[in-house]
Amino acid sequence: MNHILLVIFDLLGTFAFAVSGVLAAKQKRLDLFGITFIAFVTACGGGIFRDLSLGATPPAAFDDWRYMTVPVVAVAFTLIFRRYIERLSFPIFLFDAIGLGVFAVSGAHKALVWGASPQMAVFMGMLTSIGGGMIRDIMLNRTPDVLSKEIYGLAALVGATIMTLGSYTNMHNIVVAAIGASVAFIIRFLSFHRGWELPRFL
């Protein structure tokens, strides 16, 4: 995946997670500043953790104007089209699942570009996917989805693993990324609608 495609994938995930942040913040009846702030941390929190862990400083979220702009655009988009978005079944889940899949592959790929080992790349992909959502849920006084919901972190882990292993094959990276993101989304989608869960120890 060349640099331009990496940025496109990252911005797509940023937009999807930002929309999920806006919808979650609206449920808590936050004001416009609060909604925008939650949108930003949801969209960029995982990427900030990833970049700091990789030594890619300053993090892209602070250094690249596009990562500042996309959450603001997502806020405007969601508020303008909120009536249509709210007609979707489980809109927060939908945009969160899209962001999960996209960030799993973009996070893993960036880690590989920065010379991370395969196992670290997988972990960085998962961290990129779940980090922003965890911050969002904690700030909104919700139990983070990754700790309580249907298969969530595991879906990100699978997507990141596909991206990491695929980078060592002859397949084009964009194809591998599309497969990884799609598989992560499908796992999350099916687990939500069919109630799949990992074992619980009570």
Side-chain angles (χ1 to χ4, degrees):
M1 192 189 313
N2 61 33
H3 176 70
I4 294 177
L5 292 175
L6 173 62
V7 171
I8 291 174
F9 258 71
D10 238 10
L11 293 177
L12 176 61
T14 299
F15 182 84
F17 264 131
V19 171
S20 78
V22 174
L23 294 171
K26 281 182 78 280
Q27 287 186 348
K28 293 292 186 177
R29 304 184 65 83
L30 301 189
D31 62 16
L32 183 60
F33 178 83
I35 289 174
T36 305
F37 183 76
I38 292 296
F40 176 78
V41 298
T42 305
C44 299
I48 291 171
F49 284 146
R50 174 201 62 206
D51 290 351
L52 291 176
S53 299
L54 293 173
T57 56
F62 300 132
D63 192 47
D64 190 329
W65 64 271
R66 290 170 293 191
Y67 292 94
M68 293 280 192
T69 303
V70 168
V72 176
V73 173
V75 171
F77 171 84
T78 308
L79 296 180
I80 291 172
F81 297 103
R82 65 184 182 276
R83 293 183 180 179
Y84 301 99
I85 293 173
E86 289 171 354
R87 291 176 185 173
L88 299 172
S89 298
F90 311 105
I92 296 177
F93 157 77
L94 178 62
F95 284 97
D96 192 75
I98 293 172
L100 182 82
V102 173
F103 270 176
V105 297
S106 68
H109 184 265
K110 183 166 185 176
L112 291 170
V113 169
W114 278 78
S117 64
Q119 61 268 27
M120 185 175 182
V122 171
F123 180 77
M124 287 295 103
M126 183 179 69
L127 179 63
T128 307
S129 291
I130 68 176
M134 290 184 66
I135 297 173
R136 173 198 65 204
D137 293 341
I138 291 170
M139 294 186 71
L140 295 179
N141 197 30
R142 298 171 16 163
T143 301
D145 287 347
V146 69
L147 301 179
S148 63
K149 297 293 185 180
E150 305 81 2
I151 296 172
Y152 189 92
L154 181 60
L157 190 66
V158 171
T161 300
I162 291 173
M163 183 71 236
T164 301
L165 295 178
S167 67
Y168 293 98
T169 69
N170 292 325
M171 293 179 64
H172 196 287
N173 277 337
I174 190 60
V175 175
V176 176
I179 294 172
S182 298
V183 170
F185 174 83
I186 290 170
I187 292 173
R188 180 71 185 112
F189 182 87
L190 291 177
S191 70
F192 179 82
H193 285 282
R194 298 190 178 183
W196 294 348
E197 294 183 350
L198 294 177
R200 295 176 182 265
F201 298 91
L202 303 177

